Amino acid sequence: MDEERRGGQVLYSVRMRAAQGGPHERGGRHVSGAERIVTEERLHRTVRALLERARRHARGDPDFVQVTVERVPAGAVARIAALPVVTLGTGAPDEARRVARALLEAAGVAPVAAREAVALLAAGPGPAGTAMRGAVLMDAATGERLEPDRGRGVRVTRVDYDPAARRRLEAALRRRGLRGEAVRRAREALALASKAAWVGALAELGWSDDPGYTTGYVAAPAIGYVRLPGIKEAGDCRGGRVLFLAAGETVRVDGGLAGLIGRLEEAPVLIAAVGRVGPAVPPEEFLEGLRVGDA
Ligand code: WAQ
Ligand code: MG
């Protein structure tokens, strides 16, 4: 530890979760959650920022907030590249959801599973249409749900940017016109999606459960991180994330489904490189580009 400290190599995983009506495991309603991996120098201000964020959240005023700090050996942290980013010119839920299904199919998800995932997020994927705290895991071939706990889902945690990559990404997002909250949301969703892709997810679909944020995304190694404005109406509190697994392969290798869930939740990852952040593209043009790339 002393040696790690002298080299400036001690890192901390900081995780926050907040709920209303008691802790999540006692039936509290999920309000917010966030993850960071930071140096010791940034530890205190990160804890403070996550606490502030939990307490000023559009989904409500939490009466339970937990902030967990864990030291992680720097040598155990994988350094990966973020997926490239593009924004499509979608505007309304019907169109954005149709484009989401087409993107998922281009990434190798079966049409039945792509349709099921969109319908699930539209209805609220948790019990009785509530928000989950984590993601749905879905068999990309059949649409079958694979996560062990349908209320909680699987949380992709212990992922963050190194400070230089984070600055470069934020500057690139701003150059493409993102402002304020959108920069943070896109940055965090890109981190999650890039880690999930690195762990082995075939594709991902997500949009916020927060009523004011209406841009969602589809991400996959094959197509990048594709932003879809207007995927839900403002005021709608339904949303979530679906990670698609090539389940036939997944359950056979490296500890199977449990091993994959363990890596999604626990393997520490720092994003050290940022890819291209492209200008807005009309949806049909982007989909056509994928078909050409296929041929
Ligand atoms: N791991 C897995 N699932 C998660 C995690 C996580 N760490 N965090 C949130 N979720 C799930 C959970 O079911 C939430 O209810 C749902 O996702 C939505 O979370 O580029 O803000 O934080 O502008 O509300 C997309 C950004 C924003 C698009 C998504 O999600 C863009 C967003 P939220
Ligand atoms: Mg939310």
Side-chain angles (χ1 to χ4, degrees), residues 30 35 131-135 154-157 178 182 185-186 189 192 206-210 213 215-217 225 227 239-241:
H30 178 61
E35 343 283 331
M132 293 168 72
R133 190 147 70 82
V154 171
R155 277 187 73 82
V156 181
T157 64
L178 276 70
R185 298 240 184 208
L192 249 80
W207 69 79
S208 183
D209 53 351
D210 303 354
Y213 199 76
T215 298
Y217 65 94
Y225 177 86
R227 305 179 65 243
R241 285 180 158 89

Short mmCIF file of all heavy atoms in Angstrom, two decimals, residues 30 35 131-135 154-157 178 182 185-186 189 192 206-210 213 215-217 225 227 239-241, ligand 1:
data_model
loop_
_atom_site.label_atom_id
_atom_site.label_comp_id
_atom_site.label_asym_id
_atom_site.label_seq_id
_atom_site.Cartn_x
_atom_site.Cartn_y
_atom_site.Cartn_z
N HIS A 30 -36.16 3.01 -5.88
CA HIS A 30 -34.86 3.50 -6.34
C HIS A 30 -34.96 4.95 -6.81
O HIS A 30 -35.82 5.29 -7.61
CB HIS A 30 -34.36 2.60 -7.48
CG HIS A 30 -33.06 3.05 -8.04
ND1 HIS A 30 -31.91 3.13 -7.29
CD2 HIS A 30 -32.71 3.47 -9.28
CE1 HIS A 30 -30.92 3.56 -8.03
NE2 HIS A 30 -31.38 3.79 -9.25
N GLU A 35 -21.40 5.79 -9.99
CA GLU A 35 -20.12 5.12 -9.73
C GLU A 35 -18.97 6.00 -10.18
O GLU A 35 -19.04 6.61 -11.21
CB GLU A 35 -19.96 3.84 -10.58
CG GLU A 35 -21.20 3.28 -11.19
CD GLU A 35 -21.98 2.57 -10.15
OE1 GLU A 35 -21.32 2.07 -9.22
OE2 GLU A 35 -23.21 2.54 -10.23
N ALA A 131 -39.24 1.13 -11.90
CA ALA A 131 -37.87 1.18 -12.39
C ALA A 131 -37.04 0.14 -11.66
O ALA A 131 -37.26 -0.13 -10.48
CB ALA A 131 -37.28 2.57 -12.16
N MET A 132 -36.09 -0.45 -12.37
CA MET A 132 -35.13 -1.34 -11.73
C MET A 132 -33.93 -0.51 -11.30
O MET A 132 -33.73 0.59 -11.77
CB MET A 132 -34.68 -2.43 -12.70
CG MET A 132 -35.79 -3.40 -13.08
SD MET A 132 -35.32 -4.45 -14.48
CE MET A 132 -34.10 -5.53 -13.72
N ARG A 133 -33.10 -1.08 -10.43
CA ARG A 133 -31.88 -0.39 -10.05
C ARG A 133 -30.75 -0.72 -11.04
O ARG A 133 -29.84 0.07 -11.25
CB ARG A 133 -31.48 -0.83 -8.64
CG ARG A 133 -30.38 -0.03 -8.04
CD ARG A 133 -30.59 0.07 -6.55
NE ARG A 133 -30.36 -1.21 -5.88
CZ ARG A 133 -29.17 -1.68 -5.54
NH1 ARG A 133 -28.08 -1.01 -5.87
NH2 ARG A 133 -29.04 -2.82 -4.91
N GLY A 134 -30.81 -1.88 -11.61
CA GLY A 134 -29.79 -2.30 -12.57
C GLY A 134 -30.42 -2.64 -13.91
O GLY A 134 -31.52 -2.18 -14.23
N ALA A 135 -29.69 -3.43 -14.69
CA ALA A 135 -30.11 -3.74 -16.05
C ALA A 135 -30.78 -5.12 -16.15
O ALA A 135 -30.47 -6.02 -15.38
CB ALA A 135 -28.89 -3.70 -16.97
N VAL A 154 -28.97 -6.22 -12.89
CA VAL A 154 -27.52 -6.33 -12.73
C VAL A 154 -26.93 -4.94 -12.90
O VAL A 154 -27.18 -4.27 -13.90
CB VAL A 154 -26.94 -7.30 -13.78
CG1 VAL A 154 -25.42 -7.25 -13.78
CG2 VAL A 154 -27.44 -8.71 -13.50
N ARG A 155 -26.16 -4.50 -11.92
CA ARG A 155 -25.56 -3.17 -12.02
C ARG A 155 -24.15 -3.25 -12.58
O ARG A 155 -23.34 -4.04 -12.13
CB ARG A 155 -25.53 -2.48 -10.66
CG ARG A 155 -26.86 -1.80 -10.36
CD ARG A 155 -26.82 -0.97 -9.11
NE ARG A 155 -26.08 0.29 -9.26
CZ ARG A 155 -26.59 1.41 -9.78
NH1 ARG A 155 -27.81 1.44 -10.24
NH2 ARG A 155 -25.86 2.50 -9.85
N VAL A 156 -23.90 -2.43 -13.60
CA VAL A 156 -22.55 -2.32 -14.15
C VAL A 156 -21.84 -1.27 -13.30
O VAL A 156 -22.18 -0.09 -13.36
CB VAL A 156 -22.60 -1.87 -15.62
CG1 VAL A 156 -21.19 -1.77 -16.19
CG2 VAL A 156 -23.46 -2.82 -16.44
N THR A 157 -20.91 -1.72 -12.47
CA THR A 157 -20.26 -0.78 -11.56
C THR A 157 -18.75 -0.86 -11.69
O THR A 157 -18.21 -1.71 -12.40
CB THR A 157 -20.66 -1.05 -10.09
OG1 THR A 157 -20.19 -2.33 -9.71
CG2 THR A 157 -22.16 -0.98 -9.90
N LEU A 178 -23.84 19.34 -27.12
CA LEU A 178 -24.44 18.90 -25.85
C LEU A 178 -24.11 19.91 -24.77
O LEU A 178 -23.02 20.48 -24.75
CB LEU A 178 -23.92 17.51 -25.44
CG LEU A 178 -24.64 16.32 -26.07
CD1 LEU A 178 -24.32 16.21 -27.54
CD2 LEU A 178 -24.29 15.04 -25.34
N ALA A 182 -26.97 16.90 -20.21
CA ALA A 182 -26.77 15.93 -21.30
C ALA A 182 -25.32 15.45 -21.35
O ALA A 182 -25.06 14.28 -21.67
CB ALA A 182 -27.19 16.54 -22.64
N ARG A 185 -24.95 12.84 -18.58
CA ARG A 185 -25.71 11.61 -18.87
C ARG A 185 -25.03 10.81 -19.98
O ARG A 185 -24.89 9.59 -19.88
CB ARG A 185 -27.12 11.95 -19.33
CG ARG A 185 -27.90 12.66 -18.28
CD ARG A 185 -29.10 11.87 -17.92
NE ARG A 185 -29.91 12.59 -16.97
CZ ARG A 185 -30.69 12.01 -16.08
NH1 ARG A 185 -30.76 10.69 -16.04
NH2 ARG A 185 -31.39 12.71 -15.25
N ALA A 186 -24.64 11.50 -21.05
CA ALA A 186 -24.01 10.80 -22.17
C ALA A 186 -22.68 10.19 -21.71
O ALA A 186 -22.35 9.05 -22.04
CB ALA A 186 -23.81 11.76 -23.35
N ALA A 189 -23.43 7.10 -19.47
CA ALA A 189 -24.01 5.98 -20.22
C ALA A 189 -22.96 5.37 -21.16
O ALA A 189 -22.90 4.15 -21.34
CB ALA A 189 -25.24 6.44 -21.01
N LEU A 192 -20.72 3.07 -19.06
CA LEU A 192 -21.39 1.79 -18.79
C LEU A 192 -21.39 0.90 -20.02
O LEU A 192 -21.07 -0.29 -19.95
CB LEU A 192 -22.85 2.06 -18.41
CG LEU A 192 -23.26 1.80 -17.00
CD1 LEU A 192 -22.85 2.97 -16.12
CD2 LEU A 192 -24.76 1.62 -16.94
N GLY A 206 -30.81 1.46 -23.87
CA GLY A 206 -31.12 2.14 -22.62
C GLY A 206 -31.80 3.47 -22.83
O GLY A 206 -31.57 4.14 -23.84
N TRP A 207 -32.67 3.82 -21.90
CA TRP A 207 -33.10 5.20 -21.75
C TRP A 207 -33.44 5.45 -20.29
O TRP A 207 -33.67 4.52 -19.53
CB TRP A 207 -34.20 5.60 -22.73
CG TRP A 207 -35.58 5.03 -22.58
CD1 TRP A 207 -36.54 5.43 -21.70
CD2 TRP A 207 -36.18 4.02 -23.42
NE1 TRP A 207 -37.69 4.72 -21.93
CE2 TRP A 207 -37.50 3.84 -22.98
CE3 TRP A 207 -35.71 3.24 -24.49
CZ2 TRP A 207 -38.37 2.92 -23.56
CZ3 TRP A 207 -36.58 2.33 -25.07
CH2 TRP A 207 -37.89 2.18 -24.61
N SER A 208 -33.44 6.72 -19.91
CA SER A 208 -33.57 7.08 -18.50
C SER A 208 -34.97 6.82 -17.98
O SER A 208 -35.95 6.89 -18.72
CB SER A 208 -33.21 8.55 -18.31
OG SER A 208 -33.26 8.88 -16.94
N ASP A 209 -35.04 6.55 -16.67
CA ASP A 209 -36.32 6.50 -15.97
C ASP A 209 -36.64 7.88 -15.39
O ASP A 209 -37.66 8.03 -14.72
CB ASP A 209 -36.26 5.45 -14.86
CG ASP A 209 -35.09 5.65 -13.92
OD1 ASP A 209 -34.21 6.48 -14.21
OD2 ASP A 209 -35.05 4.97 -12.88
N ASP A 210 -35.78 8.86 -15.58
CA ASP A 210 -36.04 10.20 -15.06
C ASP A 210 -36.97 10.93 -16.03
O ASP A 210 -36.75 10.89 -17.25
CB ASP A 210 -34.73 10.97 -14.91
CG ASP A 210 -33.75 10.24 -14.00
OD1 ASP A 210 -34.14 9.21 -13.42
OD2 ASP A 210 -32.61 10.69 -13.88
N TYR A 213 -35.49 13.45 -18.94
CA TYR A 213 -34.40 13.16 -19.87
C TYR A 213 -34.84 12.14 -20.93
O TYR A 213 -35.07 10.98 -20.62
CB TYR A 213 -33.14 12.66 -19.15
CG TYR A 213 -31.94 12.82 -20.04
CD1 TYR A 213 -31.37 14.08 -20.23
CD2 TYR A 213 -31.43 11.75 -20.76
CE1 TYR A 213 -30.31 14.26 -21.10
CE2 TYR A 213 -30.36 11.92 -21.63
CZ TYR A 213 -29.81 13.18 -21.78
OH TYR A 213 -28.77 13.35 -22.65
N THR A 215 -33.44 11.42 -24.16
CA THR A 215 -32.53 10.81 -25.14
C THR A 215 -32.08 9.43 -24.65
O THR A 215 -31.65 9.30 -23.51
CB THR A 215 -31.29 11.71 -25.37
OG1 THR A 215 -31.72 12.96 -25.89
CG2 THR A 215 -30.32 11.08 -26.36
N GLY A 216 -32.21 8.43 -25.50
CA GLY A 216 -31.75 7.09 -25.16
C GLY A 216 -30.63 6.66 -26.09
O GLY A 216 -30.07 7.48 -26.82
N TYR A 217 -30.27 5.37 -26.06
CA TYR A 217 -29.17 4.92 -26.90
C TYR A 217 -29.26 3.43 -27.18
O TYR A 217 -29.88 2.66 -26.44
CB TYR A 217 -27.82 5.24 -26.25
CG TYR A 217 -27.57 4.49 -24.96
CD1 TYR A 217 -26.88 3.27 -24.95
CD2 TYR A 217 -28.08 4.97 -23.76
CE1 TYR A 217 -26.68 2.57 -23.78
CE2 TYR A 217 -27.88 4.27 -22.58
CZ TYR A 217 -27.19 3.08 -22.59
OH TYR A 217 -27.01 2.38 -21.43
N TYR A 225 -21.65 3.72 -29.95
CA TYR A 225 -22.66 4.25 -29.01
C TYR A 225 -23.52 5.23 -29.80
O TYR A 225 -23.05 6.29 -30.22
CB TYR A 225 -21.94 4.93 -27.84
CG TYR A 225 -22.87 5.59 -26.84
CD1 TYR A 225 -23.41 4.87 -25.78
CD2 TYR A 225 -23.20 6.94 -26.96
CE1 TYR A 225 -24.25 5.49 -24.86
CE2 TYR A 225 -24.04 7.56 -26.05
CZ TYR A 225 -24.56 6.81 -25.00
OH TYR A 225 -25.40 7.42 -24.09
N ARG A 227 -26.73 7.62 -30.07
CA ARG A 227 -27.71 8.37 -29.27
C ARG A 227 -29.01 8.57 -30.05
O ARG A 227 -28.99 8.84 -31.25
CB ARG A 227 -27.14 9.72 -28.86
CG ARG A 227 -25.80 9.59 -28.13
CD ARG A 227 -25.20 10.95 -27.75
NE ARG A 227 -26.04 11.64 -26.79
CZ ARG A 227 -26.65 12.80 -27.00
NH1 ARG A 227 -26.50 13.42 -28.16
NH2 ARG A 227 -27.40 13.34 -26.06
N GLY A 239 -38.28 3.61 -17.83
CA GLY A 239 -37.03 3.51 -18.58
C GLY A 239 -36.20 2.41 -17.97
O GLY A 239 -36.64 1.73 -17.04
N GLY A 240 -34.99 2.24 -18.46
CA GLY A 240 -34.12 1.20 -17.92
C GLY A 240 -33.06 0.84 -18.93
O GLY A 240 -32.80 1.58 -19.89
N ARG A 241 -32.42 -0.31 -18.67
CA ARG A 241 -31.36 -0.77 -19.57
C ARG A 241 -31.53 -2.25 -19.83
O ARG A 241 -31.89 -3.00 -18.92
CB ARG A 241 -29.99 -0.52 -18.95
CG ARG A 241 -29.56 0.93 -18.98
CD ARG A 241 -28.21 1.08 -18.34
NE ARG A 241 -27.53 2.30 -18.78
CZ ARG A 241 -27.65 3.49 -18.19
NH1 ARG A 241 -28.41 3.63 -17.14
NH2 ARG A 241 -26.97 4.53 -18.64
N1 WAQ B 1 -25.87 -0.63 -14.28
C1 WAQ B 1 -26.94 -1.19 -14.86
N2 WAQ B 1 -28.10 -0.56 -15.02
C2 WAQ B 1 -28.20 0.69 -14.57
C3 WAQ B 1 -27.12 1.35 -13.96
C4 WAQ B 1 -25.90 0.64 -13.82
N3 WAQ B 1 -24.83 1.17 -13.24
N4 WAQ B 1 -27.51 2.61 -13.63
C5 WAQ B 1 -28.78 2.71 -14.02
N5 WAQ B 1 -29.21 1.56 -14.58
C6 WAQ B 1 -30.54 1.27 -15.12
C7 WAQ B 1 -31.60 1.31 -14.04
O1 WAQ B 1 -32.60 0.37 -14.38
C8 WAQ B 1 -32.15 2.70 -14.18
O2 WAQ B 1 -33.51 2.75 -13.75
C9 WAQ B 1 -32.04 2.93 -15.68
O3 WAQ B 1 -30.87 2.25 -16.07
C10 WAQ B 1 -31.96 4.36 -16.09
O4 WAQ B 1 -30.89 4.98 -15.38
O5 WAQ B 1 -26.22 9.91 -24.66
O6 WAQ B 1 -29.69 8.61 -17.47
O7 WAQ B 1 -29.38 6.85 -14.83
O8 WAQ B 1 -27.64 11.44 -23.94
O9 WAQ B 1 -31.85 7.31 -15.37
C11 WAQ B 1 -28.80 7.88 -21.52
C12 WAQ B 1 -27.92 8.95 -22.08
C13 WAQ B 1 -29.17 8.29 -20.13
C14 WAQ B 1 -28.18 9.14 -23.55
C15 WAQ B 1 -29.65 7.11 -19.36
O10 WAQ B 1 -30.27 6.46 -17.17
C16 WAQ B 1 -27.28 10.25 -24.07
C17 WAQ B 1 -29.86 7.49 -17.93
P1 WAQ B 1 -30.61 6.50 -15.61
#
